[in-house]
Structures are given as structure tokens and as C-alpha cells.
Amino acid sequence: MENKTEVRSIGVFSLCFLLIAAYCLLLTDVFAQEKKTASKEPTVITSEILTADNKAKTALFERSVVARKGEMTMFADKMLVYYSEEKGSSNIKKIDAEGNVKLIKGERVVTSKFATYFAEPEEKIIFTGEPRATEGENVVTGTKMIYFMKDDRSIVENSKVFLIERKSGGDKAQKEKLP
């Protein structure tokens, strides 16, 4: 009788492990399903811990979370991914990122304490908790930053902008001390 219980426990554990592994493979789009004209690049998410809840259609990635897609990389201590299932594939609806959030795209770096990604109706990321964007030596800070991914544009509430102007001779102009 004990052997059947052990075999059943091992089978359930194996099934759960396979379901979680399959789920991870189905999460092919952290920043939403791209438009038909955009390229279908794979998304790779790594973390120390993954907790999947198929009933709630969520996946919680914890500790040293890194999500990469194309030229964009997002880091956080924790990401809660909300998804929908359609025809055997998963589509990201929303992502809540928390703790040491950092988005890198080319030379642009945005940091904050929190970020929320929305796939619909317009693909965007809202950064809160002391958001700060840098590109080269230029810095933008505010209380809330909204980055519209498709249009590559931003809205910053209560903004403070530090621009580094260059003199014609190539020397840097005097600049205000950056925060």
C-alpha cells in the first residue's frame, strides 16, 4: 500500500513539474503579443523562484528576475504576470514589477521601485516610486513616468530634466548637479 502512495506522489510531483516547465515555455511574450507587423522574438524570463497559479492565470517570478525580449531587458526583485489563454498559447495581459525595477533599451535606462506593464489597449509601462530615466548624461526624474512602447514616447508627471548641452568646441557646458 505504501509503494502505491509513493508512486502516486512521485507521479503528481512529476506532473506538476512538467506543467510548470511547459507553462514557462508558453510565456513567450513578457511585453504582450506584438502586432502582426512586428517581429516575433522570444522572451526569456529567469528567476530563482517561479510560482504558477493556473486557476488565477498568474505566474509569480521572485528573486533576481530578468525578462529579455529583443533589445529590451527588464530587471526586478519580483514580477507578477497576468495572462490569458487562447488556443493553447498564453498572452500577457499585465505585469506588476516590484523592487529595484530597471528597464534597459539601448542607451536608455529607466529605474524605479514599481512598474506596471499593460498590453491593452495601448502597450505601455507605468513607473512609480522615484522613477528616473537616463540616456547618456541626460536625466529625467518625476513622480510618475508612462512609457508608450510602440510610439517610443513618454509622459512624466512633476518632471525635472537635466540636459547636458555641448559647446561648439566639444567641451561640456556647466551643468546642474544631478540627483
PDB file of all heavy atoms in Angstrom, residues 117-153:
ATOM      1  N   TYR A 117       3.098  47.013 -16.372  1.00  0.00           N
ATOM      2  CA  TYR A 117       3.015  46.901 -17.827  1.00  0.00           C
ATOM      3  C   TYR A 117       1.583  46.556 -18.199  1.00  0.00           C
ATOM      4  O   TYR A 117       0.972  45.692 -17.577  1.00  0.00           O
ATOM      5  CB  TYR A 117       3.961  45.818 -18.334  1.00  0.00           C
ATOM      6  CG  TYR A 117       3.650  45.402 -19.745  1.00  0.00           C
ATOM      7  CD1 TYR A 117       4.085  46.152 -20.820  1.00  0.00           C
ATOM      8  CD2 TYR A 117       2.884  44.272 -19.992  1.00  0.00           C
ATOM      9  CE1 TYR A 117       3.774  45.792 -22.115  1.00  0.00           C
ATOM     10  CE2 TYR A 117       2.574  43.897 -21.292  1.00  0.00           C
ATOM     11  CZ  TYR A 117       3.012  44.660 -22.340  1.00  0.00           C
ATOM     12  OH  TYR A 117       2.690  44.301 -23.623  1.00  0.00           O
ATOM     13  N   PHE A 118       1.041  47.232 -19.192  1.00  0.00           N
ATOM     14  CA  PHE A 118      -0.284  46.942 -19.722  1.00  0.00           C
ATOM     15  C   PHE A 118      -0.158  46.637 -21.212  1.00  0.00           C
ATOM     16  O   PHE A 118       0.422  47.419 -21.959  1.00  0.00           O
ATOM     17  CB  PHE A 118      -1.223  48.142 -19.554  1.00  0.00           C
ATOM     18  CG  PHE A 118      -1.497  48.497 -18.121  1.00  0.00           C
ATOM     19  CD1 PHE A 118      -0.748  49.475 -17.476  1.00  0.00           C
ATOM     20  CD2 PHE A 118      -2.498  47.859 -17.413  1.00  0.00           C
ATOM     21  CE1 PHE A 118      -0.996  49.814 -16.154  1.00  0.00           C
ATOM     22  CE2 PHE A 118      -2.761  48.192 -16.088  1.00  0.00           C
ATOM     23  CZ  PHE A 118      -2.007  49.164 -15.459  1.00  0.00           C
ATOM     24  N   ALA A 119      -0.707  45.508 -21.641  1.00  0.00           N
ATOM     25  CA  ALA A 119      -0.663  45.137 -23.057  1.00  0.00           C
ATOM     26  C   ALA A 119      -1.738  45.864 -23.853  1.00  0.00           C
ATOM     27  O   ALA A 119      -1.536  46.217 -25.007  1.00  0.00           O
ATOM     28  CB  ALA A 119      -0.838  43.629 -23.209  1.00  0.00           C
ATOM     29  N   GLU A 120      -2.889  46.082 -23.252  1.00  0.00           N
ATOM     30  CA  GLU A 120      -4.032  46.691 -23.932  1.00  0.00           C
ATOM     31  C   GLU A 120      -4.549  47.867 -23.124  1.00  0.00           C
ATOM     32  O   GLU A 120      -4.416  47.874 -21.905  1.00  0.00           O
ATOM     33  CB  GLU A 120      -5.152  45.646 -24.099  1.00  0.00           C
ATOM     34  CG  GLU A 120      -4.775  44.449 -24.930  1.00  0.00           C
ATOM     35  CD  GLU A 120      -4.588  44.771 -26.394  1.00  0.00           C
ATOM     36  OE1 GLU A 120      -5.232  45.731 -26.874  1.00  0.00           O
ATOM     37  OE2 GLU A 120      -3.809  44.099 -27.062  1.00  0.00           O
ATOM     38  N   PRO A 121      -5.182  48.827 -23.687  1.00  0.00           N
ATOM     39  CA  PRO A 121      -5.448  48.984 -25.110  1.00  0.00           C
ATOM     40  C   PRO A 121      -4.240  49.515 -25.868  1.00  0.00           C
ATOM     41  O   PRO A 121      -4.163  49.445 -27.072  1.00  0.00           O
ATOM     42  CB  PRO A 121      -6.596  49.997 -25.138  1.00  0.00           C
ATOM     43  CG  PRO A 121      -6.375  50.835 -23.927  1.00  0.00           C
ATOM     44  CD  PRO A 121      -5.784  49.918 -22.906  1.00  0.00           C
ATOM     45  N   GLU A 122      -3.285  50.061 -25.107  1.00  0.00           N
ATOM     46  CA  GLU A 122      -2.083  50.622 -25.710  1.00  0.00           C
ATOM     47  C   GLU A 122      -0.894  50.103 -24.915  1.00  0.00           C
ATOM     48  O   GLU A 122      -0.840  50.269 -23.704  1.00  0.00           O
ATOM     49  CB  GLU A 122      -2.171  52.146 -25.630  1.00  0.00           C
ATOM     50  CG  GLU A 122      -1.099  52.886 -26.316  1.00  0.00           C
ATOM     51  CD  GLU A 122      -1.395  54.391 -26.331  1.00  0.00           C
ATOM     52  OE1 GLU A 122      -2.173  54.865 -25.494  1.00  0.00           O
ATOM     53  OE2 GLU A 122      -0.810  55.066 -27.178  1.00  0.00           O
ATOM     54  N   GLU A 123       0.042  49.471 -25.561  1.00  0.00           N
ATOM     55  CA  GLU A 123       1.180  48.867 -24.866  1.00  0.00           C
ATOM     56  C   GLU A 123       1.997  49.950 -24.173  1.00  0.00           C
ATOM     57  O   GLU A 123       2.561  50.821 -24.813  1.00  0.00           O
ATOM     58  CB  GLU A 123       2.042  48.105 -25.869  1.00  0.00           C
ATOM     59  CG  GLU A 123       3.049  47.214 -25.236  1.00  0.00           C
ATOM     60  CD  GLU A 123       3.792  46.373 -26.243  1.00  0.00           C
ATOM     61  OE1 GLU A 123       3.760  46.678 -27.450  1.00  0.00           O
ATOM     62  OE2 GLU A 123       4.423  45.402 -25.814  1.00  0.00           O
ATOM     63  N   LYS A 124       2.008  49.881 -22.808  1.00  0.00           N
ATOM     64  CA  LYS A 124       2.705  50.911 -22.039  1.00  0.00           C
ATOM     65  C   LYS A 124       3.197  50.340 -20.720  1.00  0.00           C
ATOM     66  O   LYS A 124       2.716  49.316 -20.247  1.00  0.00           O
ATOM     67  CB  LYS A 124       1.794  52.107 -21.772  1.00  0.00           C
ATOM     68  CG  LYS A 124       0.610  51.787 -20.889  1.00  0.00           C
ATOM     69  CD  LYS A 124      -0.293  52.986 -20.726  1.00  0.00           C
ATOM     70  CE  LYS A 124      -1.544  52.627 -19.924  1.00  0.00           C
ATOM     71  NZ  LYS A 124      -2.461  53.743 -19.829  1.00  0.00           N
ATOM     72  N   ILE A 125       4.183  51.053 -20.131  1.00  0.00           N
ATOM     73  CA  ILE A 125       4.696  50.724 -18.805  1.00  0.00           C
ATOM     74  C   ILE A 125       4.595  51.986 -17.963  1.00  0.00           C
ATOM     75  O   ILE A 125       5.035  53.059 -18.391  1.00  0.00           O
ATOM     76  CB  ILE A 125       6.158  50.249 -18.843  1.00  0.00           C
ATOM     77  CG1 ILE A 125       6.328  49.041 -19.748  1.00  0.00           C
ATOM     78  CG2 ILE A 125       6.632  49.906 -17.433  1.00  0.00           C
ATOM     79  CD1 ILE A 125       7.774  48.606 -19.932  1.00  0.00           C
ATOM     80  N   ILE A 126       4.027  51.847 -16.760  1.00  0.00           N
ATOM     81  CA  ILE A 126       3.924  52.970 -15.832  1.00  0.00           C
ATOM     82  C   ILE A 126       4.921  52.736 -14.699  1.00  0.00           C
ATOM     83  O   ILE A 126       4.846  51.727 -14.007  1.00  0.00           O
ATOM     84  CB  ILE A 126       2.494  53.112 -15.276  1.00  0.00           C
ATOM     85  CG1 ILE A 126       1.511  53.358 -16.427  1.00  0.00           C
ATOM     86  CG2 ILE A 126       2.432  54.252 -14.253  1.00  0.00           C
ATOM     87  CD1 ILE A 126       0.056  53.361 -16.005  1.00  0.00           C
ATOM     88  N   PHE A 127       5.849  53.662 -14.545  1.00  0.00           N
ATOM     89  CA  PHE A 127       6.874  53.582 -13.500  1.00  0.00           C
ATOM     90  C   PHE A 127       6.497  54.528 -12.364  1.00  0.00           C
ATOM     91  O   PHE A 127       6.197  55.699 -12.611  1.00  0.00           O
ATOM     92  CB  PHE A 127       8.244  53.988 -14.056  1.00  0.00           C
ATOM     93  CG  PHE A 127       8.767  53.091 -15.139  1.00  0.00           C
ATOM     94  CD1 PHE A 127       8.518  53.366 -16.468  1.00  0.00           C
ATOM     95  CD2 PHE A 127       9.507  51.966 -14.812  1.00  0.00           C
ATOM     96  CE1 PHE A 127       9.002  52.541 -17.470  1.00  0.00           C
ATOM     97  CE2 PHE A 127       9.994  51.131 -15.804  1.00  0.00           C
ATOM     98  CZ  PHE A 127       9.743  51.416 -17.139  1.00  0.00           C
ATOM     99  N   THR A 128       6.541  54.030 -11.120  1.00  0.00           N
ATOM    100  CA  THR A 128       6.281  54.854  -9.941  1.00  0.00           C
ATOM    101  C   THR A 128       7.312  54.504  -8.874  1.00  0.00           C
ATOM    102  O   THR A 128       8.021  53.517  -8.997  1.00  0.00           O
ATOM    103  CB  THR A 128       4.855  54.618  -9.390  1.00  0.00           C
ATOM    104  OG1 THR A 128       4.685  53.230  -9.107  1.00  0.00           O
ATOM    105  CG2 THR A 128       3.782  55.082 -10.369  1.00  0.00           C
ATOM    106  N   GLY A 129       7.338  55.320  -7.827  1.00  0.00           N
ATOM    107  CA  GLY A 129       8.330  55.076  -6.778  1.00  0.00           C
ATOM    108  C   GLY A 129       9.687  55.601  -7.196  1.00  0.00           C
ATOM    109  O   GLY A 129      10.591  54.837  -7.493  1.00  0.00           O
ATOM    110  N   GLU A 130       9.814  56.925  -7.263  1.00  0.00           N
ATOM    111  CA  GLU A 130      11.054  57.598  -7.635  1.00  0.00           C
ATOM    112  C   GLU A 130      11.598  57.182  -9.002  1.00  0.00           C
ATOM    113  O   GLU A 130      12.763  56.789  -9.131  1.00  0.00           O
ATOM    114  CB  GLU A 130      12.112  57.386  -6.553  1.00  0.00           C
ATOM    115  CG  GLU A 130      11.688  57.886  -5.186  1.00  0.00           C
ATOM    116  CD  GLU A 130      12.677  57.565  -4.090  1.00  0.00           C
ATOM    117  OE1 GLU A 130      13.859  57.282  -4.397  1.00  0.00           O
ATOM    118  OE2 GLU A 130      12.282  57.608  -2.916  1.00  0.00           O
ATOM    119  N   PRO A 131      10.776  57.270 -10.050  1.00  0.00           N
ATOM    120  CA  PRO A 131      11.282  56.888 -11.376  1.00  0.00           C
ATOM    121  C   PRO A 131      12.357  57.857 -11.866  1.00  0.00           C
ATOM    122  O   PRO A 131      12.305  59.050 -11.577  1.00  0.00           O
ATOM    123  CB  PRO A 131      10.039  56.952 -12.262  1.00  0.00           C
ATOM    124  CG  PRO A 131       9.123  57.899 -11.571  1.00  0.00           C
ATOM    125  CD  PRO A 131       9.404  57.755 -10.106  1.00  0.00           C
ATOM    126  N   ARG A 132      13.295  57.310 -12.590  1.00  0.00           N
ATOM    127  CA  ARG A 132      14.430  58.083 -13.122  1.00  0.00           C
ATOM    128  C   ARG A 132      14.821  57.473 -14.459  1.00  0.00           C
ATOM    129  O   ARG A 132      15.063  56.268 -14.544  1.00  0.00           O
ATOM    130  CB  ARG A 132      15.584  57.993 -12.130  1.00  0.00           C
ATOM    131  CG  ARG A 132      16.867  58.642 -12.586  1.00  0.00           C
ATOM    132  CD  ARG A 132      17.975  58.331 -11.565  1.00  0.00           C
ATOM    133  NE  ARG A 132      19.257  58.776 -12.053  1.00  0.00           N
ATOM    134  CZ  ARG A 132      19.898  59.831 -11.587  1.00  0.00           C
ATOM    135  NH1 ARG A 132      19.387  60.552 -10.626  1.00  0.00           N
ATOM    136  NH2 ARG A 132      21.076  60.170 -12.087  1.00  0.00           N
ATOM    137  N   ALA A 133      14.891  58.298 -15.487  1.00  0.00           N
ATOM    138  CA  ALA A 133      15.294  57.839 -16.816  1.00  0.00           C
ATOM    139  C   ALA A 133      16.588  58.536 -17.200  1.00  0.00           C
ATOM    140  O   ALA A 133      16.745  59.739 -16.993  1.00  0.00           O
ATOM    141  CB  ALA A 133      14.213  58.143 -17.841  1.00  0.00           C
ATOM    142  N   THR A 134      17.516  57.766 -17.751  1.00  0.00           N
ATOM    143  CA  THR A 134      18.774  58.335 -18.226  1.00  0.00           C
ATOM    144  C   THR A 134      19.034  57.865 -19.646  1.00  0.00           C
ATOM    145  O   THR A 134      18.666  56.761 -20.035  1.00  0.00           O
ATOM    146  CB  THR A 134      19.966  57.916 -17.337  1.00  0.00           C
ATOM    147  OG1 THR A 134      20.098  56.499 -17.368  1.00  0.00           O
ATOM    148  CG2 THR A 134      19.790  58.381 -15.912  1.00  0.00           C
ATOM    149  N   GLU A 135      19.645  58.748 -20.391  1.00  0.00           N
ATOM    150  CA  GLU A 135      20.127  58.406 -21.725  1.00  0.00           C
ATOM    151  C   GLU A 135      21.403  59.208 -21.912  1.00  0.00           C
ATOM    152  O   GLU A 135      21.354  60.439 -21.981  1.00  0.00           O
ATOM    153  CB  GLU A 135      19.098  58.729 -22.805  1.00  0.00           C
ATOM    154  CG  GLU A 135      19.495  58.199 -24.158  1.00  0.00           C
ATOM    155  CD  GLU A 135      18.342  58.140 -25.142  1.00  0.00           C
ATOM    156  OE1 GLU A 135      17.225  58.521 -24.799  1.00  0.00           O
ATOM    157  OE2 GLU A 135      18.588  57.708 -26.278  1.00  0.00           O
ATOM    158  N   GLY A 136      22.507  58.496 -21.927  1.00  0.00           N
ATOM    159  CA  GLY A 136      23.794  59.191 -21.919  1.00  0.00           C
ATOM    160  C   GLY A 136      23.926  59.921 -20.603  1.00  0.00           C
ATOM    161  O   GLY A 136      23.698  59.361 -19.540  1.00  0.00           O
ATOM    162  N   GLU A 137      24.233  61.235 -20.670  1.00  0.00           N
ATOM    163  CA  GLU A 137      24.357  62.033 -19.446  1.00  0.00           C
ATOM    164  C   GLU A 137      23.070  62.762 -19.091  1.00  0.00           C
ATOM    165  O   GLU A 137      22.997  63.427 -18.056  1.00  0.00           O
ATOM    166  CB  GLU A 137      25.495  63.032 -19.608  1.00  0.00           C
ATOM    167  CG  GLU A 137      26.860  62.364 -19.758  1.00  0.00           C
ATOM    168  CD  GLU A 137      27.967  63.390 -19.864  1.00  0.00           C
ATOM    169  OE1 GLU A 137      28.116  64.181 -18.910  1.00  0.00           O
ATOM    170  OE2 GLU A 137      28.649  63.400 -20.895  1.00  0.00           O
ATOM    171  N   ASN A 138      22.052  62.683 -19.929  1.00  0.00           N
ATOM    172  CA  ASN A 138      20.782  63.353 -19.682  1.00  0.00           C
ATOM    173  C   ASN A 138      19.929  62.531 -18.723  1.00  0.00           C
ATOM    174  O   ASN A 138      19.893  61.308 -18.806  1.00  0.00           O
ATOM    175  CB  ASN A 138      20.029  63.579 -20.994  1.00  0.00           C
ATOM    176  CG  ASN A 138      20.824  64.448 -21.948  1.00  0.00           C
ATOM    177  OD1 ASN A 138      21.445  65.425 -21.538  1.00  0.00           O
ATOM    178  ND2 ASN A 138      20.832  64.077 -23.210  1.00  0.00           N
ATOM    179  N   VAL A 139      19.231  63.246 -17.812  1.00  0.00           N
ATOM    180  CA  VAL A 139      18.447  62.582 -16.776  1.00  0.00           C
ATOM    181  C   VAL A 139      17.075  63.240 -16.682  1.00  0.00           C
ATOM    182  O   VAL A 139      16.957  64.467 -16.745  1.00  0.00           O
ATOM    183  CB  VAL A 139      19.152  62.686 -15.397  1.00  0.00           C
ATOM    184  CG1 VAL A 139      18.315  62.043 -14.302  1.00  0.00           C
ATOM    185  CG2 VAL A 139      20.528  62.054 -15.450  1.00  0.00           C
ATOM    186  N   VAL A 140      16.039  62.405 -16.511  1.00  0.00           N
ATOM    187  CA  VAL A 140      14.686  62.882 -16.265  1.00  0.00           C
ATOM    188  C   VAL A 140      14.179  62.178 -15.018  1.00  0.00           C
ATOM    189  O   VAL A 140      14.285  60.953 -14.906  1.00  0.00           O
ATOM    190  CB  VAL A 140      13.737  62.572 -17.449  1.00  0.00           C
ATOM    191  CG1 VAL A 140      12.320  63.029 -17.136  1.00  0.00           C
ATOM    192  CG2 VAL A 140      14.229  63.216 -18.730  1.00  0.00           C
ATOM    193  N   THR A 141      13.639  62.958 -14.071  1.00  0.00           N
ATOM    194  CA  THR A 141      13.027  62.384 -12.880  1.00  0.00           C
ATOM    195  C   THR A 141      11.599  62.904 -12.779  1.00  0.00           C
ATOM    196  O   THR A 141      11.231  63.885 -13.433  1.00  0.00           O
ATOM    197  CB  THR A 141      13.796  62.746 -11.591  1.00  0.00           C
ATOM    198  OG1 THR A 141      13.753  64.157 -11.417  1.00  0.00           O
ATOM    199  CG2 THR A 141      15.231  62.260 -11.639  1.00  0.00           C
ATOM    200  N   GLY A 142      10.806  62.261 -11.959  1.00  0.00           N
ATOM    201  CA  GLY A 142       9.430  62.684 -11.745  1.00  0.00           C
ATOM    202  C   GLY A 142       8.772  61.797 -10.716  1.00  0.00           C
ATOM    203  O   GLY A 142       9.429  60.954 -10.088  1.00  0.00           O
ATOM    204  N   THR A 143       7.462  61.974 -10.547  1.00  0.00           N
ATOM    205  CA  THR A 143       6.731  61.126  -9.607  1.00  0.00           C
ATOM    206  C   THR A 143       6.088  59.939 -10.314  1.00  0.00           C
ATOM    207  O   THR A 143       5.831  58.912  -9.686  1.00  0.00           O
ATOM    208  CB  THR A 143       5.638  61.924  -8.873  1.00  0.00           C
ATOM    209  OG1 THR A 143       4.779  62.548  -9.837  1.00  0.00           O
ATOM    210  CG2 THR A 143       6.255  62.985  -7.969  1.00  0.00           C
ATOM    211  N   LYS A 144       5.862  60.078 -11.614  1.00  0.00           N
ATOM    212  CA  LYS A 144       5.250  59.007 -12.406  1.00  0.00           C
ATOM    213  C   LYS A 144       5.701  59.161 -13.850  1.00  0.00           C
ATOM    214  O   LYS A 144       5.666  60.263 -14.403  1.00  0.00           O
ATOM    215  CB  LYS A 144       3.726  59.121 -12.312  1.00  0.00           C
ATOM    216  CG  LYS A 144       2.950  58.086 -13.079  1.00  0.00           C
ATOM    217  CD  LYS A 144       1.449  58.324 -12.837  1.00  0.00           C
ATOM    218  CE  LYS A 144       0.574  57.344 -13.525  1.00  0.00           C
ATOM    219  NZ  LYS A 144      -0.855  57.633 -13.265  1.00  0.00           N
ATOM    220  N   MET A 145       6.150  58.047 -14.447  1.00  0.00           N
ATOM    221  CA  MET A 145       6.557  58.046 -15.856  1.00  0.00           C
ATOM    222  C   MET A 145       5.736  56.998 -16.588  1.00  0.00           C
ATOM    223  O   MET A 145       5.621  55.866 -16.129  1.00  0.00           O
ATOM    224  CB  MET A 145       8.034  57.692 -16.016  1.00  0.00           C
ATOM    225  CG  MET A 145       8.972  58.715 -15.517  1.00  0.00           C
ATOM    226  SD  MET A 145      10.693  58.222 -15.881  1.00  0.00           S
ATOM    227  CE  MET A 145      11.555  59.560 -15.107  1.00  0.00           C
ATOM    228  N   ILE A 146       5.193  57.404 -17.725  1.00  0.00           N
ATOM    229  CA  ILE A 146       4.453  56.466 -18.566  1.00  0.00           C
ATOM    230  C   ILE A 146       5.217  56.354 -19.882  1.00  0.00           C
ATOM    231  O   ILE A 146       5.424  57.349 -20.569  1.00  0.00           O
ATOM    232  CB  ILE A 146       3.017  56.945 -18.832  1.00  0.00           C
ATOM    233  CG1 ILE A 146       2.298  57.203 -17.507  1.00  0.00           C
ATOM    234  CG2 ILE A 146       2.263  55.913 -19.674  1.00  0.00           C
ATOM    235  CD1 ILE A 146       0.962  57.907 -17.654  1.00  0.00           C
ATOM    236  N   TYR A 147       5.640  55.139 -20.206  1.00  0.00           N
ATOM    237  CA  TYR A 147       6.401  54.891 -21.440  1.00  0.00           C
ATOM    238  C   TYR A 147       5.510  54.121 -22.406  1.00  0.00           C
ATOM    239  O   TYR A 147       5.095  53.006 -22.118  1.00  0.00           O
ATOM    240  CB  TYR A 147       7.678  54.111 -21.128  1.00  0.00           C
ATOM    241  CG  TYR A 147       8.466  53.710 -22.359  1.00  0.00           C
ATOM    242  CD1 TYR A 147       8.823  54.645 -23.325  1.00  0.00           C
ATOM    243  CD2 TYR A 147       8.855  52.390 -22.554  1.00  0.00           C
ATOM    244  CE1 TYR A 147       9.545  54.285 -24.440  1.00  0.00           C
ATOM    245  CE2 TYR A 147       9.587  52.016 -23.678  1.00  0.00           C
ATOM    246  CZ  TYR A 147       9.923  52.968 -24.622  1.00  0.00           C
ATOM    247  OH  TYR A 147      10.630  52.603 -25.729  1.00  0.00           O
ATOM    248  N   PHE A 148       5.183  54.742 -23.546  1.00  0.00           N
ATOM    249  CA  PHE A 148       4.382  54.117 -24.588  1.00  0.00           C
ATOM    250  C   PHE A 148       5.351  53.414 -25.537  1.00  0.00           C
ATOM    251  O   PHE A 148       6.070  54.058 -26.297  1.00  0.00           O
ATOM    252  CB  PHE A 148       3.538  55.157 -25.318  1.00  0.00           C
ATOM    253  CG  PHE A 148       2.531  55.821 -24.414  1.00  0.00           C
ATOM    254  CD1 PHE A 148       2.855  56.992 -23.732  1.00  0.00           C
ATOM    255  CD2 PHE A 148       1.280  55.263 -24.225  1.00  0.00           C
ATOM    256  CE1 PHE A 148       1.943  57.599 -22.880  1.00  0.00           C
ATOM    257  CE2 PHE A 148       0.355  55.859 -23.378  1.00  0.00           C
ATOM    258  CZ  PHE A 148       0.686  57.033 -22.704  1.00  0.00           C
ATOM    259  N   MET A 149       5.369  52.104 -25.459  1.00  0.00           N
ATOM    260  CA  MET A 149       6.393  51.309 -26.132  1.00  0.00           C
ATOM    261  C   MET A 149       6.317  51.398 -27.652  1.00  0.00           C
ATOM    262  O   MET A 149       7.336  51.568 -28.308  1.00  0.00           O
ATOM    263  CB  MET A 149       6.304  49.868 -25.655  1.00  0.00           C
ATOM    264  CG  MET A 149       6.598  49.742 -24.166  1.00  0.00           C
ATOM    265  SD  MET A 149       6.266  48.133 -23.489  1.00  0.00           S
ATOM    266  CE  MET A 149       7.546  47.192 -24.309  1.00  0.00           C
ATOM    267  N   LYS A 150       5.148  51.272 -28.227  1.00  0.00           N
ATOM    268  CA  LYS A 150       5.007  51.270 -29.685  1.00  0.00           C
ATOM    269  C   LYS A 150       5.456  52.600 -30.292  1.00  0.00           C
ATOM    270  O   LYS A 150       6.116  52.634 -31.313  1.00  0.00           O
ATOM    271  CB  LYS A 150       3.555  50.978 -30.060  1.00  0.00           C
ATOM    272  CG  LYS A 150       3.310  50.930 -31.543  1.00  0.00           C
ATOM    273  CD  LYS A 150       1.855  50.649 -31.861  1.00  0.00           C
ATOM    274  CE  LYS A 150       1.596  50.740 -33.343  1.00  0.00           C
ATOM    275  NZ  LYS A 150       0.173  50.670 -33.646  1.00  0.00           N
ATOM    276  N   ASP A 151       5.101  53.699 -29.618  1.00  0.00           N
ATOM    277  CA  ASP A 151       5.425  55.035 -30.130  1.00  0.00           C
ATOM    278  C   ASP A 151       6.783  55.548 -29.661  1.00  0.00           C
ATOM    279  O   ASP A 151       7.225  56.599 -30.108  1.00  0.00           O
ATOM    280  CB  ASP A 151       4.345  56.035 -29.695  1.00  0.00           C
ATOM    281  CG  ASP A 151       2.974  55.663 -30.212  1.00  0.00           C
ATOM    282  OD1 ASP A 151       2.883  55.046 -31.289  1.00  0.00           O
ATOM    283  OD2 ASP A 151       1.978  55.976 -29.520  1.00  0.00           O
ATOM    284  N   ASP A 152       7.420  54.848 -28.712  1.00  0.00           N
ATOM    285  CA  ASP A 152       8.688  55.258 -28.129  1.00  0.00           C
ATOM    286  C   ASP A 152       8.602  56.705 -27.628  1.00  0.00           C
ATOM    287  O   ASP A 152       9.418  57.553 -27.944  1.00  0.00           O
ATOM    288  CB  ASP A 152       9.838  55.099 -29.129  1.00  0.00           C
ATOM    289  CG  ASP A 152      11.194  55.175 -28.439  1.00  0.00           C
ATOM    290  OD1 ASP A 152      11.274  54.854 -27.237  1.00  0.00           O
ATOM    291  OD2 ASP A 152      12.177  55.569 -29.104  1.00  0.00           O
ATOM    292  N   ARG A 153       7.551  56.958 -26.799  1.00  0.00           N
ATOM    293  CA  ARG A 153       7.362  58.279 -26.221  1.00  0.00           C
ATOM    294  C   ARG A 153       6.988  58.128 -24.758  1.00  0.00           C
ATOM    295  O   ARG A 153       6.545  57.071 -24.327  1.00  0.00           O
ATOM    296  CB  ARG A 153       6.306  59.085 -26.969  1.00  0.00           C
ATOM    297  CG  ARG A 153       4.908  58.567 -26.838  1.00  0.00           C
ATOM    298  CD  ARG A 153       3.898  59.406 -27.637  1.00  0.00           C
ATOM    299  NE  ARG A 153       2.586  58.813 -27.564  1.00  0.00           N
ATOM    300  CZ  ARG A 153       1.682  59.090 -26.630  1.00  0.00           C
ATOM    301  NH1 ARG A 153       1.960  59.973 -25.696  1.00  0.00           N
ATOM    302  NH2 ARG A 153       0.504  58.490 -26.631  1.00  0.00           N
TER     303      ARG A 153
END
